[in-house]
Structures are given as structure tokens and as C-alpha cells.
Amino acid sequence: MNLSFFDQFTSPYLLGIPLLLLSMLFPALLLPTPDNRWITNRFSTLQLWFSHLVTKQLMTPLNKEGHKWALILTSLMMFLLLINLLGLLPYTFTPTTQLSMNMALAFPLWLATLLTGLRNQPSASLGHLLPEGTPTLLIPALIMIETTSLLIRPLALGVRLTANLTAGHLLIQLISTATTALLPLIPAVSILTASILLLLTLLEVAVAMIQAYVFVLLLSLYLQENI
């Protein structure tokens, strides 16, 4: 029984072919298709409004130099948001519950922000490792601590996204299993459990949106430190 709870996090296969890539490409079908008109329908209007809102929120803490990253950060936000929300549908697979995928997204982007800082302002970037006014005896230890905190940033990004989504999916499956098991035995408790399941599902929708935003927001803050 315990193993079956984690089967939902196993990458699906069809004829020996992993469907992880297909599940990652599926959200692209929900994006507006190119057209000779700016706005084709109300759904496109809503998408454009949401994209503008997300871009505005992400670019607020950045200066003009960081606005070059607007397309990358906004696209990543939309990608994570759609994947997280589609993963809440029944009989679907959520690629962002895989730590390997989240690390594949977090590490290159974090490294790009770090290399940008080292190229444009190497003194300021290295200066973050040693705050001004540090006592001489604490300099070696503080440099090691700051270097470690810098290097674990991509790991923290990937683990945060994976842990939050995995915990939510497990809770939904546990409570749904309890609801179906209690239905023939204690219907009143089963109805109460179903109500909790509904509230938890709404909470997970919010978590899916918030975690996508937090992932990209932290990347934008890392970028601001290096430009």
C-alpha cells in the first residue's frame, strides 16, 4: 500500500518510451497560436493580460539591465504554472515532482545569473562573500559559509518546488483513499473527509501557482544581485 502512493511520481512509459517529454510539451498547446491579429478572442485577451501582469511583477525588483531577462523569466513562469495546474487533474503526471527536472531548470539559470555578475561586475559579485567590516578572525569561516550558501541556491530552488508539490499530491491521494474506504462503513465521516479533500484541492491549486511564482521570483532576485 505504501509503495502505491508513490506510483504517481513514476514517469509514465508507452511501449518503452518515456512520456515525460510529452507531458512537458503539452502546456504549449494552451498558449495562443500566432495570428495576424493581436487579439483573436476573449481567452487570448485574458492570456495577454495575465502575461503582462506576471511580467510586471517579476520585473519590478530589477533595474533596466535585468529587463533583458523578461522573456526567459515570464516564459518559465508560464511553463511551471501550467505544468503544476495540469498535474492536479485526475490521471495526469506532474513533471515538476521530479527533482531531476527541477534541478535541470534551476541550475543553468542560477549559473547564468552568477556568470553574468562575474562578467559585468566581478568585484561586487565576489564582495558578497565577505561583508564589509568583518573581523579578521572570522574571514575564513565567513567566506566558507557564504560560498556554501551561494552554491546550495539551485538545490534549494529544486527541492522547494519538488517537496511542496509532492507533499500536496500525497495528501490528496491519502485523503481520497480514506474517503472511498470510509464511504461504505461510515458515510457521515466519509462526507466530512470529502469536504476536507475539496478544501485541500483548492489549497493545492493555490500552492501550484505560488510555487511557480516563488521559483521565478527567487531567480529574479539572484539576477538583481549580479547586475
Side-chain angles (χ1 to χ4, degrees):
M1 177 64 70
N2 292 334
L3 292 177
S4 64
F5 289 149
F6 293 92
D7 287 345
Q8 60 178 317
F9 305 117
T10 304
S11 178
Y13 286 81
L14 179 62
L15 300 177
I17 302 174
L19 300 180
L20 177 61
L21 182 60
L22 181 61
S23 62
M24 292 171 59
L25 295 177
F26 182 76
L29 300 177
L30 302 178
L31 299 176
T33 55
D35 196 273
N36 56 358
R37 293 178 294 174
W38 282 101
I39 299 176
T40 56
N41 51 44
R42 294 180 180 178
F43 184 63
S44 298
T45 305
L46 180 62
Q47 287 179 320
L48 290 174
W49 170 82
F50 184 73
S51 300
H52 178 267
L53 179 64
V54 169
T55 305
K56 182 179 179 181
Q57 292 296 325
L58 292 176
M59 294 299 107
T60 298
L62 299 179
N63 54 27
K64 291 185 178 180
E65 187 69 22
H67 291 178
K68 300 176 182 178
W69 291 63
L71 180 60
I72 297 177
L73 295 178
T74 304
S75 301
L76 179 62
M77 171 73 182
M78 295 299 180
F79 175 71
L80 292 176
L81 180 62
L82 290 176
I83 283 184
N84 292 348
L85 292 177
L86 289 174
L88 293 174
L89 297 176
Y91 303 104
T92 56
F93 173 70
T94 311
T96 44
T97 56
Q98 306 295 312
L99 181 60
S100 57
M101 174 187 164
N102 295 334
M103 289 299 299
L105 291 174
F107 183 77
L109 292 172
W110 165 82
L111 185 61
T113 61
L114 183 61
L115 294 178
T116 300
L118 292 176
R119 184 190 64 180
N120 296 336
Q121 45 179 14
S123 300
S125 298
L126 295 177
H128 291 299
L129 302 179
L130 185 62
E132 186 177 357
T134 304
T136 305
L137 294 177
L138 296 180
I139 288 178
L142 194 58
I143 291 178
M144 294 179 60
I145 293 173
E146 291 296 331
T147 303
T148 303
S149 65
L150 178 66
L151 295 178
I152 66 173
R153 282 181 175 181
L155 181 62
L157 283 175
V159 170
R160 180 188 295 108
L161 182 59
T162 303
N164 281 281
L165 295 180
T166 301
H169 284 64
L170 282 176
L171 281 175
I172 289 178
Q173 184 168 1
L174 286 170
I175 296 180
S176 61
T177 302
T179 302
T180 54
L182 292 173
L183 184 59
L185 302 177
I186 313 176
V189 177
S190 178
I191 294 175
L192 178 61
T193 309
S195 302
I196 297 175
L197 178 61
L198 177 60
L199 296 176
L200 180 62
T201 303
L202 296 177
L203 177 62
E204 284 305 309
V205 172
V207 169
M209 300 174 66
I210 292 172
Q211 288 303 316
Y213 176 71
V214 168
F215 187 93
V216 182
L217 179 63
L218 289 177
L219 280 175
S220 66
L221 294 179
Y222 297 158
L223 176 63
Q224 177 61 28
E225 291 182 359
N226 293 282
I227 56 176

